[in-house]
Amino acid sequence: MIRKLLLATSVMSSFVIMPAAAAQDGEATAEQGGIAEIVVTAQRRDENVQDVPIAISAFSAEQMAAQGITNTLQIGQYVPNLIAQNNTGIGSANAYFLRGLGSTETIATFDPPVGTYVDDIYLSRQNANNLSLFDVERVEVLRGPQGTLFGRNTTGGAISVIMAKPGNTISGFGEIGYGRFGKTIARGSTDLPLSDSFAIKLSGYWQNDRGYAKNVTTGERLNDDDGWGVRLGVRGELAPWARWNAGYMHIVSKGDNILNFECNPANPADCKGRFISTGLSENGGPPSPYAPVVVTGRKANYGLGQEAVSDIITSNLQFDIGENTTLSLITGYVSLTQQFAYDFFDGRGGPSISAPFPAVRGYARGGFTIVNDGKHSQFTQEIKLNGTLGNGLIDYVGGLYYIDERNKTDLADLFTLSPTTTLLLGDRILRNTTSAYAGYLQADLNLSEQFKLTAGFRYTDEKKVLRFNDNRASCNDSTLELTCIDNANLFVPANGTTVLTAKPIPTQQRVKVWTPRFAANFKPNDDLLFFASATRGFKSGGWNARATTPSQAVPFGPEKVWSYEAGIKSDLFDRRVRANLTVFQLDVSDLQILAGLLNPTTGALTFITRNFADYRNRGVEAEIQFVPVDGLNFYTNFGYQNDKYLLPGNAPATDVYGIQSVAAQLASCRGALAAGKIPGGPNTPATQPSITACAAGIVTAEGTIATPVRTPKWSISMGASYEAQMGAGFTLVPSVNGSFHSRQEVAIANLSIYNAPVSGVNQPVTGPFPANPFRNGAFVAGSQSEPVWLFNAGLALNAPDKAWTLSVDCTNCLNESYVQTALSNYSYLNRPMEWTVRAKYRF
């Protein structure tokens, strides 16, 4: 396989003469010509992006404006081997899958493997990481584990947002816009120097629309993307040897990603638009929309939708210590509150082989509804030293890091069986904390002007604590029933077979881990860099906190990874061509895999995450930019990956909590299939292996190991822009961008429903099932996501010196739809075509 990767690299290197351009660099100055340099902080110090031996995609503010990028979700279209999507339901939450590593879970006992940072401050929660880029200097996407310098939970990589600093003169801009679905936007920023050494920046944005989907049950317009935010930036030159950069952001996001369809579920012939059919309304209480079901707390009055409110405080105080050393005190505080109610079954049951097209029920309490009231806060402190030793022989960065995170999640799950019958599956408060200490050091040994060796390490000591309290009245009287979700009941009872004696579930986790990095880079001249590296990272463990019974709240352990990279970065032909290529191999042990299982008795979802398997991914990435003449810019980016799950060779049939291993599950599934049973069909007779072993976890309906999710073999983006001189200083700038990904699976078990009958041994009296899970017939719903091209385009008219700009742009201009994720066999689609007209004035 390595030979194939090297061959692919050599083939791709031939593309350096193509008219293409990477989507990651700002415009060149008129004096320089060609492709501009861009400074990044991927190694926690300022460096030219072409000098950093890491696979990086960096986007300047000008580049993002030219490509119509307004939030972090849209960046996923332009980075090789990055798949970015909204989570199911929650429009404020992005799930990033980078080189195959990602997570769709937002509850606070799960950590994402792709970290998000704002001005070096880590955002622990994935719940509100779809940041609006309204006052940003640049965004850096670091591919591969960043465990040495960025720490825990960066096994897949890191997305680092660097905010704009206040300028030295009074300046700024104002922008207004209008778009499809009644979208209105307003943005603005101003720099205010208060003295020669102190300045502030005030900025903000506001956006509102009426939603792109119609609820055919309630008549409401849904899936809007409303929100607003303000920011205060501070820059102070406190002394010739002391500087301070700080900021405060307040962001309110009300974006939704509610399950919707291209055709009306109540009238399948109507396919003009997007449709939702849940009976749960946006209008909340009091009285509670879930009555007579007793849901406790203020969440009892939540209507359909969500609101996430974030406050982010950053402070970086820098001191020059001597001639070659800088001390940085980096302090951060993040507060997040999130309130939501979502119906994940769309007011009815999920598609199955017995009922591939379930009828619309329109239950007023929803079909499977989760109501959530979360409060999350974190404090971080970092002490960082950057310096040089031995007259430039050694460059180093090192420091100490501390994080304290506190979460309170009050949530309830409801499952509706009929207009009058709704089951309260659980109503509990989860409190969990994380405290971690770390020390790190990375040093570059400059053996010559051309050759450099890098070595670094990080030591992390992390502790997590969990606390459950059941809100239900029967669990708060004089007795505590064994069904109450409370710390006192956190154990797996003995069952006489897989669990011989009751097994307590730990409420604390402690991990101490080293994450080293080794690299070598050779720079024969100013235009070429060759590098190779080996890096380790880890992702924290946690608990299955969506448990609806105490025995389901089992823990899962840390996920650990080694990544091996080799690459080349080049600026050629007087910086008219830039070509960066990387080959990589990712080896993950104890991969955390989230599985959603259907309860055969109630039909409700059960979520469980375990370290079910190991994982390997091998791939190639290329980013190429071409500027044949000033003002004309082409780019193309390629990503290829080939990944698979690896099963441990000596795993027992069940673990200490009685959970079946993948190997044992696979054997059970194949036995059931051999007996003529059909996944999704009846499980009789009881003496035969249960068919529930198929289409669950990472075992497919066909009795094979699943394809890892959101890892299309190919991802491609390409585009061009041209700044045409119109005379009198006016310019007209057309741009077009396209992005492609090949076929992928988006549900862990790869389960999809197909519209063709299937027969087996145990059939209903009425005959064979009308649908099947065996990839036979027309796709109905589920995991299958077909290849797709998405196109964006824009046209901007600039006044002399860009004093003002009029522009129009569209995203997903051809209105293509594809499956982004799936839950209970329902497929969640991407956003439809949207256009926006804008007017921007600069002063």
Side-chain angles (χ1 to χ4, degrees):
M1 183 62 196
I2 293 297
R3 291 181 180 177
K4 293 181 180 179
L5 294 180
L6 293 175
L7 177 60
T9 302
S10 64
V11 171
M12 286 190 174
S13 65
S14 66
F15 282 103
V16 298
I17 61 172
M18 290 180 58
Q24 76 247 31
D25 293 284
E27 299 175 357
T29 63
E31 293 79 12
Q32 292 177 325
I35 302 169
E37 295 182 354
I38 184 168
V39 174
V40 298
T41 52
Q43 295 194 116
R44 309 299 305 280
R45 59 175 180 255
D46 292 344
E47 295 175 288
N48 182 348
V49 67
Q50 292 298 97
D51 294 335
V52 180
I54 298 173
I56 309 170
S57 299
F59 300 79
S60 67
E62 293 81 5
Q63 182 70 29
M64 288 186 286
Q67 294 184 240
I69 298 173
T70 60
N71 58 53
T72 49
L73 177 66
Q74 295 169 319
I75 287 175
Q77 294 185 40
Y78 303 103
V79 178
N81 292 331
L82 172 62
I83 297 296
Q85 62 171 62
N86 272 148
N87 260 358
T88 52
I90 306 173
S92 66
N94 291 344
Y96 299 110
F97 282 73
L98 189 49
R99 293 182 176 176
L101 297 183
S103 174
T104 58
E105 184 56 86
T106 60
I107 202 165
T109 57
F110 293 79
D111 295 310
V114 180
T116 300
Y117 293 79
V118 175
D119 282 347
D120 283 335
I121 302 304
Y122 174 58
L123 304 186
S124 298
R125 296 296 104 226
Q126 192 166 271
N127 308 56
N129 63 349
N130 189 17
L131 302 172
S132 179
L133 304 175
F134 66 97
D135 194 20
V136 170
E137 176 183 313
R138 68 182 184 278
V139 176
E140 302 173 14
V141 180
L142 285 61
R143 306 191 295 276
Q146 308 297 320
T148 301
L149 295 181
F150 287 82
R152 52 199 282 277
N153 303 332
T154 56
T155 50
I159 295 176
S160 181
V161 178
I162 292 86
M163 306 303 296
K165 296 178 176 59
N168 295 318
T169 60
I170 297 177
S171 60
F173 74 90
E175 181 183 52
I176 58 173
Y178 179 80
R180 194 181 184 197
F181 308 118
K183 182 178 182 178
T184 53
I185 61 173
R187 298 171 182 261
S189 178
T190 182
D191 293 338
L192 297 173
L194 303 181
S195 69
D196 292 340
S197 60
F198 193 83
I200 64 173
K201 175 188 282 286
L202 300 173
S203 55
Y205 79 97
W206 176 85
Q207 62 188 46
N208 184 273
D209 65 76
R210 60 189 178 90
Y212 66 79
K214 179 182 179 180
N215 189 327
V216 297
T217 301
T218 65
E220 298 167 332
R221 298 288 304 189
L222 299 173
N223 280 359
D224 45 357
D225 187 18
D226 302 340
W228 62 276
V230 293
R231 176 177 182 254
L232 169 66
V234 177
R235 177 182 58 81
E237 302 292 333
L238 306 182
W241 44 268
R243 298 166 299 282
W244 184 45
N245 287 287
Y248 167 70
M249 287 193 293
H250 179 80
I251 302 173
V252 178
S253 175
K254 298 182 180 181
D256 296 320
N257 182 30
I258 300 168
L259 179 65
N260 63 96
F261 307 89
E262 291 185 284
C263 294
N264 182 351
N267 178 17
D270 181 8
C271 298
K272 296 181 179 179
R274 294 286 186 91
F275 303 91
I276 294 171
S277 62
T278 177
L280 184 63
S281 171
E282 287 185 298
N283 299 319
S288 171
Y290 312 105
V293 178
V294 179
V295 177
T296 62
R298 61 183 183 181
K299 68 181 186 295
N301 295 315
Y302 293 170
L304 183 67
Q306 71 99 27
E307 180 179 82
V309 180
S310 301
D311 291 282
I312 303 173
I313 300 173
T314 66
S315 173
N316 189 340
L317 189 59
Q318 295 182 325
F319 303 95
D320 294 331
I321 303 175
E323 186 175 343
N324 299 314
T325 305
T326 299
L327 171 67
S328 300
L329 305 178
I330 305 171
T331 307
Y333 176 77
V334 180
S335 173
L336 167 66
T337 61
Q338 186 177 54
Q339 303 162 334
F340 68 75
Y342 283 121
D343 173 17
F344 294 93
F345 270 11
D346 194 51
R348 49 191 172 144
S352 67
I353 64 173
S354 300
F357 303 100
V360 172
R361 303 293 187 184
Y363 296 139
R365 304 182 196 99
F368 176 62
T369 301
I370 297 178
V371 289
N372 184 98
D373 185 2
K375 296 181 179 179
H376 315 277
S377 65
Q378 68 170 66
F379 170 80
T380 59
Q381 180 63 60
E382 183 174 6
I383 303 172
K384 178 168 70 79
L385 277 174
N386 289 81
T388 300
L389 299 173
N391 289 326
L393 178 63
I394 296 176
D395 299 318
Y396 69 89
V397 56
L400 301 172
Y401 180 83
Y402 169 73
I403 182 171
D404 180 83
E405 183 189 5
R406 300 175 184 273
N407 304 288
K408 178 185 177 182
T409 309
D410 186 355
L411 74 158
D413 307 89
L414 302 94
F415 187 75
T416 299
L417 300 173
S418 72
T420 58
T421 305
T422 297
L423 305 178
L424 182 64
L425 303 178
D427 187 351
R428 62 282 196 202
I429 294 177
L430 162 70
R431 295 178 175 88
N432 64 294
T433 62
T434 299
S435 60
Y437 301 84
Y440 64 92
L441 176 65
Q442 178 171 296
D444 298 330
L445 177 61
N446 302 302
L447 297 177
S448 67
E449 292 185 0
Q450 291 80 33
F451 191 62
K452 179 186 297 184
L453 295 177
T454 300
F457 68 89
R458 189 183 192 99
Y459 176 75
T460 301
D461 184 342
E462 175 188 82
K463 180 181 179 181
K464 290 188 169 186
V465 180
L466 173 77
R467 177 73 197 178
F468 269 119
N469 293 104
D470 204 308
N471 290 324
R472 291 172 292 188
S474 62
C475 298
N476 286 279
D477 53 20
S478 57
T479 60
L480 184 69
E481 293 89 349
L482 291 177
T483 56
C484 296
I485 305 175
D486 188 277
N487 272 36
N489 289 336
L490 291 186
F491 63 89
V492 177
N495 58 20
T497 55
T498 57
V499 182
L500 299 180
T501 59
K503 177 66 177 178
I505 295 173
T507 58
Q508 293 188 15
Q509 293 192 40
R510 184 81 176 268
V511 62
K512 300 178 181 180
V513 63
W514 293 88
T515 49
R517 171 177 168 78
F518 307 97
N521 51 307
F522 175 62
K523 195 173 179 65
N525 55 53
D526 290 340
D527 298 330
L528 287 173
L529 172 69
F530 299 89
F531 67 91
S533 67
T535 309
R536 194 186 192 209
F538 89 99
K539 175 174 176 277
S540 299
W543 290 267
N544 289 279
R546 293 200 185 276
T548 54
T549 64
S551 62
Q552 294 174 351
V554 294
F556 50 89
E559 174 182 292
K560 300 176 183 178
V561 57
W562 271 103
S563 174
Y564 309 96
E565 287 186 354
I568 178 175
K569 296 187 176 185
S570 62
D571 281 329
L572 307 172
F573 308 112
D574 293 328
R575 293 195 1 263
R576 292 292 180 179
V577 174
R578 175 167 293 172
N580 298 337
L581 298 105
T582 307
V583 296
F584 69 88
Q585 176 167 309
L586 197 69
D587 290 322
V588 182
S589 58
D590 299 320
L591 181 70
Q592 297 170 8
I593 300 176
L594 170 65
L597 309 177
L598 280 177
N599 186 307
T601 303
T602 66
L605 276 175
T606 298
F607 297 94
I608 187 168
T609 292
R610 296 290 289 158
N611 306 94
F612 282 118
D614 297 335
Y615 174 77
R616 173 173 292 167
N617 194 1
R618 293 166 171 165
V620 181
E621 296 161 347
E623 297 177 296
I624 307 167
Q625 185 171 355
F626 180 42
V627 181
V629 296
D630 292 347
L632 180 59
N633 191 302
F634 297 89
Y635 76 88
T636 184
N637 300 333
F638 298 89
Y640 170 81
Q641 50 190 338
N642 188 345
D643 64 340
K644 61 181 179 180
Y645 296 120
L646 304 173
L647 299 187
N650 56 353
T654 59
D655 64 16
V656 294
Y657 300 107
I659 298 173
Q660 197 174 40
S661 71
V662 176
Q665 179 190 344
L666 189 63
S668 179
C669 170
R670 289 172 176 173
L673 292 173
K677 293 191 173 186
I678 309 298
N683 292 321
T684 57
T687 57
Q688 294 182 355
S690 172
I691 199 63
T692 56
C694 300
I698 60 172
V699 176
T700 69
E702 296 94 335
T704 61
I705 297 299
T707 298
V709 295
R710 298 177 188 85
T711 54
K713 283 193 178 295
W714 289 99
S715 59
I716 303 171
S717 64
M718 58 180 61
S721 64
Y722 179 61
E723 186 173 356
Q725 303 297 322
M726 304 295 291
F730 286 85
T731 59
L732 187 66
V733 184
S735 63
V736 62
N737 305 284
S739 61
F740 167 84
H741 67 71
S742 57
R743 180 171 177 169
Q744 61 178 339
E745 297 289 341
V746 299
I748 297 296
N750 300 172
L751 177 61
S752 294
I753 303 298
Y754 298 88
N755 193 15
V758 63
S759 298
V761 171
N762 299 306
Q763 289 297 304
V765 176
T766 55
F769 296 109
N772 76 89
F774 298 131
R775 304 179 188 272
N776 178 28
F779 172 77
V780 175
S783 172
Q784 179 178 308
S785 180
E786 291 299 312
V788 65
W789 272 102
L790 300 179
F791 289 96
N792 304 330
L795 183 65
L797 175 65
N798 296 311
D801 299 321
K802 294 186 178 180
W804 53 260
T805 299
L806 298 177
S807 65
V808 58
D809 61 72
C810 65
T811 57
N812 189 13
C813 300
L814 302 182
N815 201 29
E816 295 287 340
S817 62
Y818 71 96
V819 177
Q820 289 191 316
T821 188
L823 183 65
S824 185
N825 298 340
Y826 274 128
S827 300
Y828 283 71
L829 304 177
N830 60 309
R831 295 179 69 89
M833 186 274 286
E834 298 175 85
W835 56 262
T836 309
V837 178
R838 306 170 191 266
K840 186 173 184 177
Y841 175 73
R842 301 174 181 87
F843 59 90

